[in-house]
Amino acid sequence: MLVQLALGAVLTLATVLVVALSWWALEALLLRLQAWSTGPTHGPRLIAILVLALLWTLCMIAVAVMFWAVAFHRLGVFANVEESVYFALVSFTTLGFGDILLPAEWRLLGGIAAANGLLLFGLLTAILVETIRGTRLKQRSRK
């Protein structure tokens, strides 16, 4: 049990750190694009920033899921990588189909992966909203 909790904590911290660093990089990119994004034709530029932020978010979710999938695979929990990725994604999104289950000795990791997914989806949603709000406020101030 303690091994699962420790491993889950490490994976959760790793995914949060990767997401935080990635959004920091996106923020730097958006600062470089600020003159462009606040120029005329605000609507299409806001949509472009939204699409960029959404794609960035999807990549971060994919990276976080892969952290979990690699851990499941390295632990020998599943027979192949596809099952590891599938279970990690289903757990991370809290969908929980239940068609593939963790062995009893690793089942706490499924709950921790789900909690990690909830936390990251909340964090990423907040950052997305702030990114769009900040862009829109900058656009309005330049009218």
Side-chain angles (χ1 to χ4, degrees):
M1 180 173 95
L2 290 178
V3 170
Q4 292 179 76
L5 293 174
L7 181 58
V10 167
L11 286 166
T12 299
L13 289 172
T15 59
V16 169
L17 181 62
V18 166
V19 166
L21 290 172
S22 173
W23 273 98
W24 189 15
L26 178 62
E27 185 177 41
L29 175 62
L30 292 174
L31 281 173
R32 295 181 103 199
L33 294 173
Q34 185 174 343
W36 174 84
S37 68
T38 58
T41 64
H42 289 149
R45 292 171 194 246
L46 183 65
I47 291 169
I49 295 298
L50 175 62
V51 168
L52 173 65
L54 283 171
L55 290 174
W56 205 282
T57 299
L58 288 173
C59 287
M60 287 304 91
I61 291 168
V63 166
V65 166
M66 290 309 295
F67 272 44
W68 283 91
V70 167
F72 289 137
H73 186 66
R74 291 256 169 116
L75 290 169
V77 174
F78 297 110
N80 57 52
V81 174
E82 182 183 354
E83 285 182 353
S84 297
V85 172
Y86 175 77
F87 183 84
L89 182 61
V90 168
S91 296
F92 204 80
T93 59
T94 68
L95 189 56
F97 282 136
D99 53 341
I100 297 179
L101 301 174
L102 287 172
E105 64 270 15
W106 294 111
R107 67 179 158 202
L108 285 178
L109 284 180
I112 298 170
N116 187 191
L118 281 171
L119 289 170
L120 283 187
F121 276 105
L123 175 64
L124 290 167
T125 300
I127 293 171
L128 266 173
V129 169
E130 179 58 25
T131 299
I132 299 308
R133 188 188 70 79
T135 302
R136 191 68 185 123
L137 286 174
K138 289 172 189 161
Q139 285 180 338
R140 286 184 181 164
S141 70
R142 289 197 55 173
K143 280 187 176 182

